Amino acid sequence: MLKIANLETVYSDVILALKGISLEVPPGMIVALLGANGAGKTTTINTVCGIRKALDLTVEDGSIEFEGESINDMKPHQIVSLGIVQVPEGRRIFAELTVDENLVIGSYSATNRRDFAQRKENVHNYFPILKQRANQRAGYLSGGEQQMLAIARALVASPKLIILDEPSLGLAPLVVAEIFGIIERINKQEDVAILLVEQNANVALAISHFGYILETGRVVLEGPTEQLRENKDIREFYLGLTEVGTKKSFRDVKHYRRRKRWLS
Amino acid sequence: MERVFEIIINGLSTGAIYSLLALGFVLIFKSTGILNFAQGELAMVGAFVCFTFASQLQLPYLLAFLIALGIGAVLGAFIDLLFFRRMVGEPVFATIMITVGLASILTSAAGIIWGHDVHAIRAPFTDKTLEVGNVVLTHGSLITVGVSLLLFVVFMLFFNRSLLGVAMRGTAEDPDTAGLMGINVNKIHMAAWAIGTLVAAVAGIFLADQSFVRLSMSHTGIKAMAAAILGGMESIRGAVVGGLAIGLIEGFAANYLSGAEVGGFHFGDVKEVAAFVVMIVVLMIRPHGIFGREKVERV
């Protein structure tokens, strides 16, 4: 559905952020995009969503296709109307508006206004708390509720692809588990593909079908999630798991050298 | 008693004009985040356009009125296209200074086009009055109050109920995220400028009916800004209440305070000052204005 091929992007004409990445999101799948800070995760999705001008970001090479159509040069609102909606990093809900009004704005791109009430109700099924808080100003919601609202705001547009940028950011583990459970349900019940950008590899690999690992602007590893979970390097660098019972020291790990191998 | 009643009516009709102008301020501020210092000048241009069509070209008044509104809307959209489209996300001071510059440009342009003479528009309701008991009400002031209340209701519904209105409020708060929701931010800003300038034109035409069409009528914009700030810059309700309040304060100050003598001290023409004194006092008690709300800060 979404196909990125050899994408190279540059910030302010000098900083090469993405050095030719390729990835694909097939219909109805959850694809995880993992990586540390500065790996290029947010750059990737900003490029996909067309937010380039404000960031002084240019596409040097490569192509982005959605359902066979090139979206390289489209504006953000045109990309949304194709059915790609982003849940931005740090939630970015409209704090001054009520919860309901946030949902109204979320549905802005939908041309059919008549079934808005029905779609809103559908969203309320996933996030019942938003119904209780309908007329409250969104800025007064808790962090978890704000994240729920941000996802609901994207879902109410009935998109084909939702891009989630670090939904676990700044949330308690229990809340993260709850939200990721809902994301999984949304993916199954709404037949919507999800591109999940995360630092928290543990939760992301738990619900996704396919994963890409990004390091300094390159895809260094990719594969079905079961494979990634078993990968020795990922278990160590991203999941923090080591062999049970063995005492580890940094000298034994030599992870720096192993990591370096990825990048060369 | 009748005197008080007349002061109230006249105060309300002047106040209604301030309200309309303040409404234009708030509309533009609410949707684009730009404090438009050229609001009074836009009203003046609207009045001159109406004067051209109604008095010089002898078109029917209502037609001239509608043409002036149309030209006002186009002018607003054009201003956005020319100046503010490329200023999205730029520092607030830069945008404010552009509106200040725009105000001077509009005044000079109007001076070149229409000259510096004082004109009057003859409306069908000019000089017509309605007597209720001993109180004399002009049709003009009744229509002004009526139209400003009507627009108030229309805009309240627009901003709270319509998709475009809610989208405008969202865009004002966070244009980038609004873009991510599929909102064409440029289009929203253009619409806001068009509507804001249209409302300014309405205000200018009614102001012309109460006084004259001349370049200096744009100074009313300052009082309208005071009204908008008094009401709480982002509140439609505040704009209307603030405008009417300033109109009433001016009316009472002119009648009871101007020329009064208290303990050997003579008040001069305090009408012009009174409104601002009240505004300052209110702002010291409620810094966000009467209906203004503090921004939600939560990270």
Side-chain angles (χ1 to χ4, degrees):
Chain A
M1 186 150 70
L2 178 74
K3 211 168 174 179
I4 300 175
N6 281 321
L7 188 65
E8 264 181 46
T9 64
V10 172
Y11 280 110
S12 353
D13 292 332
V14 282
I15 306 158
L16 191 61
L18 300 180
K19 301 164 184 166
I21 69 160
S22 301
L23 62 86
E24 203 181 335
V25 183
M29 293 254 256
I30 302 181
V31 175
L33 186 60
L34 307 174
N37 295 100
K41 305 182 302 289
T42 302
T43 307
T44 309
I45 58 174
N46 278 340
T47 316
V48 171
C49 293
I51 315 166
R52 290 179 290 256
K53 207 178 143 208
L55 299 171
D56 201 4
L57 182 69
T58 44
V59 176
E60 290 281 286
D61 199 9
S63 67
I64 312 166
E65 277 178 19
F66 186 69
E67 297 186 318
E69 193 180 347
S70 169
I71 58 170
N72 273 27
D73 303 317
M74 287 194 182
K75 297 220 164 64
H77 63 93
Q78 291 168 322
I79 290 171
V80 174
S81 64
L82 291 179
I84 304 180
V85 179
Q86 192 194 133
V87 179
E89 187 179 0
R91 311 184 271 267
R92 303 282 289 270
I93 48 138
F94 298 101
E96 300 289 315
L97 307 188
T98 65
V99 170
D100 250 8
E101 286 168 342
N102 268 276
L103 294 181
V104 169
I105 292 195
S107 74
Y108 187 85
S109 62
T111 37
N112 184 359
R113 305 300 315 165
R114 257 180 245 143
D115 60 352
F116 172 66
Q118 194 193 329
R119 273 182 287 142
K120 192 166 87 175
E121 194 170 317
N122 185 29
V123 164
H124 282 160
N125 282 338
Y126 289 106
F127 304 102
I129 187 81
L130 298 181
K131 193 171 188 177
Q132 281 174 42
R133 302 247 191 274
N135 294 316
Q136 231 174 59
R137 275 213 279 172
Y140 293 127
L141 297 180
S142 76
E145 289 163 357
Q146 288 192 1
Q147 186 62 57
M148 291 179 186
L149 176 58
I151 298 172
R153 187 178 62 175
L155 186 61
V156 83
S158 321
K160 295 172 188 156
L161 169 67
I162 299 180
I163 299 179
L164 289 158
D165 195 354
E166 289 200 31
S168 73
L169 187 75
L171 300 180
L174 214 60
V175 180
V176 172
E178 187 188 353
I179 287 178
F180 275 69
I182 298 172
I183 292 172
E184 206 176 2
R185 260 175 62 210
I186 290 173
N187 167 254
K188 282 203 186 104
Q189 294 169 8
E190 303 292 318
D191 191 33
V192 51
I194 290 173
L195 177 58
L196 177 60
V197 176
E198 260 299 340
Q199 298 213 25
N200 187 340
N202 227 332
V203 286
L205 289 179
I207 65 163
S208 55
H209 306 110
F210 204 87
Y212 292 86
I213 312 265
L214 220 59
E215 290 233 350
T216 55
R218 283 202 180 87
V219 175
V220 291
L221 260 179
E222 60 176 271
T225 322
E226 306 84 54
Q227 262 179 41
L228 291 180
R229 275 200 298 256
E230 295 310 314
N231 185 301
K232 209 172 135 207
D233 291 344
I234 298 206
R235 284 177 73 82
E236 189 168 327
F237 303 147
Y238 285 94
L239 302 177
L241 298 171
T242 54
E243 262 123 78
V244 185
T246 50
K247 193 179 167 194
K248 295 218 90 175
S249 93
F250 278 107
R251 197 176 300 157
D252 299 334
V253 183
K254 288 187 186 155
H255 75 283
Y256 175 70
R257 213 187 284 167
R258 269 163 57 201
R259 252 180 124 118
K260 229 165 71 174
R261 218 171 47 216
W262 287 7
L263 301 175
S264 55
Chain B
M1 192 55 218
E2 277 126 28
R3 184 163 170 229
V4 173
F5 199 66
E6 266 187 44
I7 294 170
I8 290 176
I9 292 297
N10 288 331
L12 284 180
S13 70
T14 328
I17 287 169
Y18 297 153
S19 296
L20 283 171
L21 274 170
L23 213 58
F25 265 129
V26 171
L27 273 165
I28 290 174
F29 184 75
K30 238 173 130 84
S31 349
T32 69
I34 292 172
L35 200 60
N36 178 23
F37 275 85
Q39 202 68 26
E41 282 72 14
L42 292 173
M44 181 256 307
V45 170
F48 267 113
V49 171
C50 182
F51 161 74
T52 304
F53 284 99
S55 300
Q56 291 182 326
L57 299 176
Q58 297 290 330
L59 292 181
Y61 181 78
L62 192 64
L63 186 63
F65 183 84
L66 292 176
I67 289 174
L69 299 198
I71 289 181
V74 172
L75 176 68
F78 180 71
I79 287 172
D80 176 58
L81 202 62
L82 196 62
F83 299 107
F84 295 106
R85 176 144 303 181
R86 56 206 76 198
M87 296 303 291
V88 174
E90 301 298 337
V92 173
F93 284 114
T95 56
I96 289 183
M97 284 320 292
I98 287 183
T99 67
V100 172
L102 183 66
S104 311
I105 293 170
L106 285 173
T107 308
S108 334
I112 294 168
I113 298 170
W114 289 288
H116 294 258
D117 296 331
V118 174
H119 306 280
I121 304 176
R122 275 211 63 82
F125 50 79
T126 305
D127 297 336
K128 281 193 187 144
T129 53
L130 181 74
E131 280 181 45
V132 182
N134 291 327
V135 184
V136 183
L137 308 170
T138 65
H139 283 195
S141 63
L142 290 176
I143 289 175
T144 309
V145 174
V147 168
S148 83
L149 288 179
L150 179 74
L151 283 177
F152 159 68
V153 174
V154 167
F155 283 123
M156 281 292 269
L157 290 174
F158 174 73
F159 271 112
N160 287 315
R161 295 268 179 272
S162 81
L163 177 67
L164 188 63
V166 174
M168 276 186 168
R169 283 163 58 207
T171 307
E173 190 186 322
D174 187 344
D176 294 338
T177 309
L180 284 180
M181 299 297 113
I183 295 171
N184 185 345
V185 175
N186 287 340
K187 217 170 82 187
I188 292 278
H189 284 179
M190 203 170 183
W193 274 96
I195 299 171
T197 312
L198 184 148
V199 176
V202 176
I205 294 165
F206 284 140
L207 181 62
D209 177 64
Q210 289 189 13
S211 63
F212 300 100
V213 184
R214 57 180 165 200
L215 292 180
S216 64
M217 69 194 281
S218 61
H219 297 331
T220 317
I222 297 296
K223 274 188 205 149
M225 185 170 271
I229 294 170
L230 178 68
M233 212 43 213
E234 282 183 53
S235 162
I236 300 273
R237 200 165 29 152
V240 173
V241 172
L244 294 179
I246 287 196
L248 284 175
I249 294 163
E250 275 190 3
F252 280 104
N255 279 282
Y256 291 106
L257 279 181
S258 289
E261 191 185 327
V262 179
F265 180 80
H266 275 280
F267 281 100
D269 183 16
V270 289
K271 177 185 159 221
E272 302 294 321
V273 190
F276 289 97
V277 171
V278 172
M279 182 193 82
I280 290 170
V281 171
V282 170
L283 286 184
M284 284 165 77
I285 300 165
R286 283 189 63 89
H288 293 277
I290 301 173
F291 293 106
R293 289 193 296 196
E294 221 164 315
K295 282 248 180 292
V296 182
E297 292 284 354
R298 191 177 180 293
V299 183

